């Protein structure tokens, strides 16, 4: 329904202070992305940063990732089905 041309953390700002400013969410979910956000990948992970942004604002946050072998187009649908 919505498309946001920014980073995942920017999308959290847009959602919390724009779309949902009158009705705070119970939980902010970021993801799903392909592969784990472990080790140094956490430093650059948009998925992790979005959940961290929610936590910084006082909202519970969760970031989801899934190890899934993806090939070609349409992989986002496959990831969503597994999430």
């Amino acid at each position: 329904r919505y498309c946001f041309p920014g980073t995942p953390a920017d999308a959290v700002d847009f959602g919390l202070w724009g779309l949902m400013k009158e009705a705070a969410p119970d939980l902010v979910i970021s993801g799903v992305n392909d592969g784990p956000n472990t080790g140094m990948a956490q430093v650059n992970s948009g998925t992790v940063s979005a959940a961290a942004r929610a936590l910084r604002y006082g909202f519970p946050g969760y970031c989801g990732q899934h190890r899934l072998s993806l090939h070609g187009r349409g992989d986002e649908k496959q990831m969503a089905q597994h999430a």
Side-chain angles (χ1 to χ4, degrees):
R1 184 170 176 189
Y2 296 98
C3 177
F4 187 79
T7 67
D10 292 337
V12 169
D13 286 341
F14 177 70
L16 292 176
W17 310 128
L19 295 175
M20 301 186 77
K21 67 182 175 183
E22 302 297 325
D26 294 323
L27 175 66
V28 174
I29 300 173
S30 176
V32 60
N33 67 295
D34 178 29
N37 289 319
T38 58
M40 288 304 294
Q42 292 179 38
V43 175
N44 296 313
S45 171
T47 307
V48 172
S49 68
R53 177 75 54 95
L55 291 172
R56 186 177 313 136
Y57 291 145
F59 297 95
Y62 170 81
C63 61
Q65 59 274 336
H66 192 4
R67 183 167 293 278
L68 184 64
S69 177
L70 302 176
H71 306 287
R73 294 220 166 252
D75 296 334
E76 294 84 5
K77 289 181 184 179
Q78 186 182 5
M79 281 196 311
Q81 289 171 348
H82 282 82

